[in-house]
Short mmCIF file of all heavy atoms in Angstrom, two decimals:
data_model
loop_
_atom_site.label_atom_id
_atom_site.label_comp_id
_atom_site.label_asym_id
_atom_site.label_seq_id
_atom_site.Cartn_x
_atom_site.Cartn_y
_atom_site.Cartn_z
N LYS U 78 -24.95 18.10 -2.01
CA LYS U 78 -25.52 19.35 -1.50
C LYS U 78 -25.09 20.55 -2.33
O LYS U 78 -25.56 21.66 -2.12
CB LYS U 78 -25.09 19.56 -0.04
CG LYS U 78 -25.56 18.44 0.86
CD LYS U 78 -26.09 18.95 2.18
CE LYS U 78 -26.78 17.84 2.96
NZ LYS U 78 -26.00 17.37 4.11
N ASN U 79 -24.16 20.32 -3.25
CA ASN U 79 -23.66 21.43 -4.07
C ASN U 79 -24.24 21.44 -5.47
O ASN U 79 -23.79 22.19 -6.33
CB ASN U 79 -22.13 21.32 -4.20
CG ASN U 79 -21.43 21.90 -2.98
OD1 ASN U 79 -22.03 22.62 -2.19
ND2 ASN U 79 -20.17 21.57 -2.84
N ILE U 80 -25.26 20.63 -5.69
CA ILE U 80 -25.76 20.48 -7.05
C ILE U 80 -26.25 21.80 -7.65
O ILE U 80 -26.01 22.07 -8.83
CB ILE U 80 -26.86 19.39 -7.10
CG1 ILE U 80 -26.18 18.02 -6.92
CG2 ILE U 80 -27.63 19.43 -8.42
CD1 ILE U 80 -27.08 16.83 -7.02
N ASP U 81 -26.86 22.64 -6.82
CA ASP U 81 -27.31 23.93 -7.32
C ASP U 81 -26.13 24.72 -7.88
O ASP U 81 -26.22 25.35 -8.93
CB ASP U 81 -27.98 24.74 -6.20
CG ASP U 81 -29.36 24.18 -5.89
OD1 ASP U 81 -29.84 23.35 -6.69
OD2 ASP U 81 -29.93 24.57 -4.85
N TYR U 82 -25.06 24.65 -7.13
CA TYR U 82 -23.85 25.36 -7.55
C TYR U 82 -23.30 24.78 -8.86
O TYR U 82 -22.91 25.51 -9.76
CB TYR U 82 -22.80 25.29 -6.44
CG TYR U 82 -21.49 25.93 -6.80
CD1 TYR U 82 -21.41 27.31 -7.05
CD2 TYR U 82 -20.32 25.18 -6.90
CE1 TYR U 82 -20.21 27.91 -7.39
CE2 TYR U 82 -19.11 25.78 -7.24
CZ TYR U 82 -19.06 27.15 -7.48
OH TYR U 82 -17.88 27.73 -7.82
N HIS U 83 -23.31 23.46 -8.96
CA HIS U 83 -22.83 22.81 -10.18
C HIS U 83 -23.65 23.27 -11.39
O HIS U 83 -23.11 23.56 -12.46
CB HIS U 83 -22.90 21.29 -10.06
CG HIS U 83 -22.15 20.74 -8.89
ND1 HIS U 83 -22.59 19.64 -8.17
CD2 HIS U 83 -21.01 21.13 -8.29
CE1 HIS U 83 -21.73 19.41 -7.19
NE2 HIS U 83 -20.77 20.28 -7.25
N CYS U 84 -24.96 23.36 -11.19
CA CYS U 84 -25.84 23.79 -12.28
C CYS U 84 -25.56 25.23 -12.65
O CYS U 84 -25.53 25.59 -13.83
CB CYS U 84 -27.31 23.67 -11.87
SG CYS U 84 -27.82 21.96 -11.70
N TYR U 85 -25.32 26.02 -11.62
CA TYR U 85 -24.99 27.43 -11.86
C TYR U 85 -23.73 27.53 -12.73
O TYR U 85 -23.67 28.30 -13.69
CB TYR U 85 -24.78 28.12 -10.51
CG TYR U 85 -24.02 29.41 -10.59
CD1 TYR U 85 -24.64 30.58 -11.06
CD2 TYR U 85 -22.68 29.48 -10.20
CE1 TYR U 85 -23.94 31.78 -11.14
CE2 TYR U 85 -21.97 30.66 -10.28
CZ TYR U 85 -22.59 31.80 -10.75
OH TYR U 85 -21.89 32.97 -10.84
N VAL U 86 -22.73 26.70 -12.39
CA VAL U 86 -21.48 26.72 -13.15
C VAL U 86 -21.71 26.23 -14.58
O VAL U 86 -21.19 26.81 -15.54
CB VAL U 86 -20.40 25.85 -12.45
CG1 VAL U 86 -19.15 25.75 -13.33
CG2 VAL U 86 -20.04 26.42 -11.10
N ALA U 87 -22.53 25.21 -14.73
CA ALA U 87 -22.83 24.68 -16.06
C ALA U 87 -23.49 25.77 -16.92
O ALA U 87 -23.15 25.94 -18.09
CB ALA U 87 -23.74 23.47 -15.95
N ASN U 88 -24.39 26.53 -16.32
CA ASN U 88 -25.07 27.58 -17.05
C ASN U 88 -24.13 28.73 -17.40
O ASN U 88 -24.26 29.36 -18.44
CB ASN U 88 -26.28 28.08 -16.27
CG ASN U 88 -27.46 27.13 -16.44
OD1 ASN U 88 -27.92 26.90 -17.55
ND2 ASN U 88 -27.90 26.53 -15.35
N LYS U 89 -23.22 28.96 -16.49
CA LYS U 89 -22.21 29.99 -16.74
C LYS U 89 -21.41 29.62 -17.99
O LYS U 89 -21.12 30.46 -18.85
CB LYS U 89 -21.29 30.06 -15.52
CG LYS U 89 -20.59 31.37 -15.34
CD LYS U 89 -19.98 31.45 -13.95
CE LYS U 89 -18.78 32.39 -13.94
NZ LYS U 89 -18.14 32.43 -12.63
N LEU U 90 -21.08 28.34 -18.06
CA LEU U 90 -20.33 27.82 -19.21
C LEU U 90 -21.16 27.94 -20.49
O LEU U 90 -20.64 28.21 -21.57
CB LEU U 90 -19.97 26.36 -18.95
CG LEU U 90 -18.53 25.90 -18.67
CD1 LEU U 90 -17.56 27.04 -18.41
CD2 LEU U 90 -18.49 24.90 -17.55
N LEU U 91 -22.45 27.73 -20.30
CA LEU U 91 -23.37 27.85 -21.44
C LEU U 91 -23.39 29.30 -21.91
O LEU U 91 -23.29 29.60 -23.10
CB LEU U 91 -24.76 27.44 -20.95
CG LEU U 91 -25.74 26.77 -21.91
CD1 LEU U 91 -25.10 25.60 -22.63
CD2 LEU U 91 -26.96 26.28 -21.10
N ASP U 92 -23.49 30.22 -20.93
CA ASP U 92 -23.57 31.65 -21.23
C ASP U 92 -22.32 32.17 -21.93
O ASP U 92 -22.41 32.96 -22.86
CB ASP U 92 -23.78 32.46 -19.94
CG ASP U 92 -25.16 32.20 -19.38
OD1 ASP U 92 -26.00 31.66 -20.13
OD2 ASP U 92 -25.38 32.51 -18.19
N ASN U 93 -21.16 31.72 -21.45
CA ASN U 93 -19.95 32.27 -22.07
C ASN U 93 -19.51 31.49 -23.30
O ASN U 93 -18.39 31.63 -23.79
CB ASN U 93 -18.82 32.43 -21.03
CG ASN U 93 -18.25 31.09 -20.58
OD1 ASN U 93 -18.55 30.04 -21.15
ND2 ASN U 93 -17.42 31.12 -19.56
N GLY U 94 -20.41 30.65 -23.78
CA GLY U 94 -20.16 29.98 -25.05
C GLY U 94 -19.18 28.82 -24.98
O GLY U 94 -18.69 28.35 -25.99
N CYS U 95 -18.92 28.33 -23.78
CA CYS U 95 -17.97 27.23 -23.64
C CYS U 95 -18.68 25.89 -23.51
O CYS U 95 -18.05 24.86 -23.28
CB CYS U 95 -17.07 27.45 -22.45
SG CYS U 95 -15.97 28.85 -22.68
#
Side-chain angles (χ1 to χ4, degrees):
Chain U
K78 300 222 170 107
N79 279 344
I80 288 183
D81 286 348
Y82 177 64
H83 303 144
C84 291
Y85 161 76
V86 174
N88 280 300
K89 204 166 154 183
L90 251 11
L91 211 50
D92 291 344
N93 71 10
C95 293

